[in-house]
Amino acid sequence: MIVNAPTPVGHAKVELTEEDAVHVLHPRSIIAFQGAPMLREDKFMDLAGMYRKKKWIRSRMQGPSQFVLGLPAGCTLEPIDIPSDSDLMFDFRHVLFYSEGMGMKSRIQKFKTAWITHEWVRMRFSGPGTLGILVAGDLTVLQLDESRPLYVEKSSLVAYPEKANIKLSVYGNPLASQHMQIQWELTGRGPVLIQTGSRDSQLEDQLRGDSVIKRILREVLPFGSIYIK
């Protein structure tokens, strides 16, 4: 299987050999397909999948074929090779497809972790196989340390090891901690997957050349966001 996903241009192309098959969890994202018609087979998801993805249908795509996936603006499709002994816990919302033959288990989170993350269930995939992960911006990987904590903004964390220690936290001096989003503090061993799409609206305004006055007027004037460009 070959995944060609230019960063980020709103699409990704997946090429399958005769031995390949993948399950696409968002069939409507398939905007083009080249191959014999019978190589696509749509199926109903199980009840757990329907609940987690809020979707009824998944598509089994078999090779030899190729298809194009349309992606949301600013998002990238990242293929992740999963070994047989992987213990990564994924936010299922980020999974766009997975290769056939992979094991997939729902892992109930410990009460302490679920209280922090507001997630009772995460998905653990076992390989060998490939996951297609949809992320805002790009995907970067950092390694955990048992003594030096890693702080990650809550909305940016895509996957982490099952045995990682997790706390809800902020860091830095009082001024820093008062002006940051809630962070997850992680320690342990193994990789952490993070999406890098910017969440700093002020930075985006500066890149567009917006002045402070324009930003204030947009907020205080009726229909300011429409008339003030």
Side-chain angles (χ1 to χ4, degrees):
M1 176 171 54
I2 300 174
V3 179
N4 181 11
T7 306
V9 295
H11 77 276
K13 183 169 70 174
V14 181
E15 299 181 31
L16 303 176
T17 67
E18 191 170 356
E19 294 78 23
D20 293 331
V22 300
H23 296 268
V24 179
L25 300 180
H26 293 269
R28 290 189 177 183
S29 66
I30 303 170
I31 59 175
F33 173 79
Q34 187 173 33
M38 70 283 298
L39 295 178
R40 171 174 173 168
E41 181 184 6
D42 283 15
K43 299 180 178 181
F44 285 103
M45 298 184 70
D46 58 25
L47 290 177
M50 291 177 186
Y51 173 77
R52 289 188 299 268
K53 296 294 288 186
K54 306 297 187 294
K55 299 289 182 181
W56 289 91
I57 302 294
R58 60 181 169 87
S59 294
R60 181 181 184 272
M61 313 295 288
Q62 185 178 342
S65 63
Q66 63 177 348
F67 59 93
V68 177
L69 296 166
L71 307 179
C75 290
T76 304
L77 178 65
E78 294 282 354
I80 305 295
D81 292 329
I82 302 295
S84 58
D85 59 348
S86 173
D87 69 340
L88 283 176
M89 307 285 285
F90 283 87
D91 184 337
F92 200 46
R93 294 172 297 179
H94 289 278
V95 180
L96 185 54
F97 68 77
Y98 60 92
S99 57
E100 188 162 89
M102 295 187 67
M104 180 172 56
K105 292 183 179 181
S106 299
R107 306 295 283 184
I108 304 298
Q109 302 293 283
K110 293 180 291 187
F111 179 80
K112 179 180 178 181
T113 302
W115 177 262
I116 294 171
T117 64
H118 300 290
E119 297 172 344
W120 286 102
V121 178
R122 278 216 164 202
M123 294 302 299
R124 177 173 172 175
F125 292 86
S126 59
T130 302
L131 288 182
I133 302 298
L134 186 65
V135 295
D138 295 321
L139 188 73
T140 190
V141 180
L142 297 176
Q143 294 294 324
L144 287 180
D145 188 281
E146 292 184 334
S147 59
R148 186 173 61 174
L150 170 66
Y151 297 92
V152 182
E153 187 175 323
K154 181 180 176 182
S155 61
S156 297
L157 188 59
V158 175
Y160 57 86
E162 185 172 11
K163 294 182 180 179
N165 297 312
I166 303 176
K167 298 179 182 178
L168 203 60
S169 181
V170 290
Y171 62 94
N173 66 1
L175 183 60
S177 62
Q178 292 170 15
H179 292 83
M180 68 173 59
Q181 301 293 330
I182 295 299
Q183 307 284 314
W184 287 12
E185 178 186 327
L186 299 98
T187 55
R189 293 184 178 181
V192 172
L193 277 56
I194 302 169
Q195 62 179 0
T196 64
S198 174
R199 301 294 191 279
D200 189 342
S201 59
Q202 292 184 357
L203 175 60
E204 294 175 1
D205 290 342
Q206 290 177 8
L207 292 175
R208 291 200 305 262
D210 285 358
S211 67
V212 174
I213 295 177
K214 281 186 177 181
R215 295 199 296 271
I216 294 174
L217 290 177
R218 283 198 194 99
E219 294 180 4
V220 301
L221 293 180
F223 305 105
S225 61
I226 298 175
Y227 295 112
I228 300 176
K229 303 297 183 181

